[in-house]
Amino acid sequence: MATRAHFEKSCEIGVFSKLTNTYCLTAIGASENFYSVFESELAEAIPVIHTSLAGCRIIGTLCAGNRHGLIVPSSATDQELQHIRNCLPDSVLVQRVEEKLSALGNVVACNDYVAIVHPDLDTETEEIIADTLQVEVFRQTIAGNVIVGNYCAFNNAGGLVHPRTNLNDLDELSSLLQVPLAAGTVNRGSDAIGAGLVVNDWCAFCGLDTTSTELSVIESIFKISDAQPTAITGQLRDTLVDA
């Protein structure tokens, strides 16, 4: 199901959190409300980790990850990395990246199988993303925007992209990602999908301003209205892909 939340009066919750099928990161805030919204939905299934990156709270903007791994900028401190590693499942790799486009959450969008990245990303960074996250990597823009992580969100079942994405681009992206896509908005008409929404295979969190119509589109395209946290879907998909 989709849950509305806000971080200290900001509805851009994707800036302050990162959600995958094996872990969730949330920013350290003055109030525990934001963390407790995630914990109440996720605590029985995956670890919810309270952290900062490079001393900043904009952790969703600074990192990118999926169930296989997490990549963080070189500015992340040793203490932060150690804390995150201690809380993550052993199967999740954490990798620091030397990259001039250091807001990795803005320049990388991924699910557990495919990543789309900023066209100017370093080749070395692209290789690290492919190895750490175990994904195929494609350089793409979304509706002419190079900061792809800010203008789309997708899980292993579907995706939501910038409302001005034309049909040809939508078809091309859909065939790259191998999931159905819809053009839409969050937070009452905002086109910053990645900033206003975080999603995995069984739940989504979006900004408090998100309308009921936007919520129903989110639940429909990500197929999360009655989904349950289970490893079976991931394993089944892996088996099908290997076959």
Side-chain angles (χ1 to χ4, degrees):
M1 60 171 286
T3 306
R4 293 184 180 100
H6 66 101
F7 182 85
E8 297 181 5
K9 298 186 180 175
S10 170
C11 289
E12 308 274 87
I13 64 157
V15 172
F16 303 103
S17 60
K18 181 64 64 180
L19 176 62
T20 74
N21 286 329
T22 47
Y23 60 88
C24 175
L25 306 181
T26 65
I28 296 168
S31 159
E32 290 291 304
N33 290 356
F34 187 64
Y35 175 76
S36 55
V37 168
F38 284 84
E39 195 174 42
S40 65
E41 293 291 330
L42 301 170
E44 291 179 11
I46 57 175
V48 181
I49 305 162
H50 227 159
T51 189
S52 61
L53 283 173
C56 299
R57 301 191 297 180
I58 52 168
I59 58 169
T61 301
L62 293 177
C63 71
N66 63 10
R67 74 182 168 98
H68 302 295
L70 175 70
I71 55 169
V72 299
S74 54
S75 51
T77 67
D78 292 340
Q79 291 93 327
E80 288 165 342
L81 276 192
Q82 193 58 55
H83 167 60
I84 291 168
R85 282 194 176 111
N86 288 345
C87 298
L88 284 176
D90 293 340
S91 60
V92 179
L93 294 173
V94 183
Q95 182 69 47
R96 250 200 205 114
V97 178
E98 285 278 352
E99 167 62 55
K100 66 179 186 294
L101 301 170
S102 59
L104 296 165
N106 277 350
V107 296
V108 179
C110 63
N111 62 12
D112 293 337
Y113 304 96
V114 183
I116 55 175
V117 301
H118 191 295
D120 300 333
L121 208 68
D122 279 354
T123 309
E124 193 178 327
T125 306
E126 185 182 336
E127 288 168 3
I128 291 169
I129 291 168
D131 292 344
T132 307
L133 305 185
Q134 299 176 32
V135 289
E136 276 188 277
V137 181
F138 300 100
R139 293 172 185 266
Q140 270 293 339
T141 60
I142 290 178
N145 294 290
V146 289
I147 49 172
V148 290
N150 201 39
Y151 291 110
C152 73
F154 52 99
N155 64 6
N156 298 323
L160 194 65
V161 298
H162 191 291
R164 292 195 178 162
T165 309
N166 65 44
L167 284 175
N168 289 342
D169 288 353
L170 210 58
D171 288 345
E172 184 184 348
L173 283 168
S174 185
S175 66
L176 287 179
L177 301 173
Q178 294 292 296
V179 294
L181 297 178
T185 59
V186 293
N187 287 330
R188 199 173 283 122
S190 167
D191 54 19
I193 309 288
L197 169 73
V198 290
V199 62
N200 67 10
D201 283 353
W202 70 87
C203 71
F205 298 86
C206 49
L208 204 59
D209 286 345
T210 303
T211 65
S212 55
T213 307
E214 289 168 337
L215 267 185
S216 63
V217 170
I218 288 165
E219 291 189 344
S220 166
I221 194 64
F222 293 117
K223 300 179 174 59
I224 53 170
S225 46
D226 54 358
Q228 294 297 318
T230 171
I232 296 169
T233 28
Q235 289 164 357
L236 183 62
R237 174 80 184 261
D238 282 347
T239 313
L240 291 171
V241 170
D242 290 343

